[in-house]
Amino acid sequence: NKAASGIKYGDIKSTRFLAVRTAKKRVDFMSPYFIPDAALLALMRTASRSGVKVRLVIPKKTDHPFMAWAARAYLPELVACGVDVWEVAGDFVHAKLAVVDNHWVMFGSANLDNRSFRLNFEFNVEAWSADLARRVMSYINHYQGRSTKVTKKTLRKEPVLIRLRNQAIKLFSPLL
């Protein structure tokens, strides 16, 4: 069974996508690895441009540096569309969370990357609970308070060689 977009119903990716597509006010993501495919990027851009507040909280450094470098290469287009991107300094936070409109929550083992969506055996839990959503949002807010907001200005200030490195690693995103 496939949706018009080609996404199968019942898998983690499509469940998350369908929840975000129905968002009216806000979408919050937290993931240690952010290597989006074209569909996830388009989803986040579209939601943000349609007036939904989209927030992404990711670690500044990961246990695999090339993952953070590739993630950083995707941030300019998200920031340009109004997505609030926060990088957690210090701790490597391994939480994989999504909250939509302060009611729908998804948590589990799946990252926001191609490997989680296509290759790895992942298990996530989906819930509809305002109380759970508040608790998860509190957790995300805690780490946002220890984070730095990624802006157009901070991205422009990065040295050219760093940006080139990030873009080069991004080429390998389908394999990461």
Side-chain angles (χ1 to χ4, degrees):
N1 188 13
K2 290 195 172 207
S5 65
I7 300 171
K8 295 182 296 182
Y9 287 105
D11 62 19
I12 292 170
K13 181 178 180 178
S14 62
T15 302
R16 188 179 286 162
F17 276 42
L18 292 170
V20 173
R21 283 182 184 160
T22 63
K24 303 279 189 266
K25 296 180 182 175
R26 70 177 299 130
V27 175
D28 295 275
F29 289 118
M30 185 174 199
S31 181
Y33 304 117
F34 179 71
I35 311 291
D37 61 7
L40 179 57
L41 282 173
L43 182 71
M44 293 175 77
R45 287 191 315 257
T46 301
S48 183
R49 287 179 176 153
S50 67
V52 174
K53 181 174 176 52
V54 179
R55 175 174 61 164
L56 173 65
V57 180
I58 57 176
K60 185 163 183 72
K61 293 182 181 179
T62 67
D63 54 345
H64 304 291
F66 55 88
M67 297 292 282
W69 300 340
R72 190 110 177 133
Y74 289 99
L75 302 184
E77 70 179 284
L78 292 177
V79 170
C81 295
V83 174
D84 288 329
V85 179
W86 296 85
E87 289 182 320
V88 180
D91 297 338
F92 175 55
V93 182
H94 212 262
K96 294 116 176 175
L97 306 167
V99 180
V100 175
D101 288 338
N102 299 315
H103 280 85
W104 182 88
V105 179
M106 181 179 269
F107 59 91
S109 63
N111 296 296
L112 292 172
D113 66 4
N114 291 315
R115 292 187 70 83
S116 286
F117 291 148
R118 292 184 296 120
L119 300 173
N120 296 347
F121 180 73
E122 305 285 6
F123 183 80
N124 276 21
V125 174
E126 175 186 22
W128 182 264
S129 167
D131 182 54
L132 179 60
R134 271 192 300 279
R135 291 171 189 235
V136 171
M137 291 293 288
S138 176
Y139 182 85
I140 295 171
N141 292 340
H142 167 76
Y143 280 100
Q144 180 185 327
R146 301 169 54 190
S147 303
T148 303
K149 186 169 185 175
V150 178
T151 65
K152 292 177 190 177
K153 184 177 178 181
T154 59
L155 291 167
R156 278 194 305 266
K157 283 185 174 183
E158 281 188 326
V160 172
L161 288 177
I162 298 295
R163 287 185 279 170
L164 286 172
R165 176 203 61 198
N166 296 349
Q167 290 296 327
I169 297 298
K170 180 181 173 184
L171 294 172
F172 296 95
S173 290
L175 304 174
L176 300 178

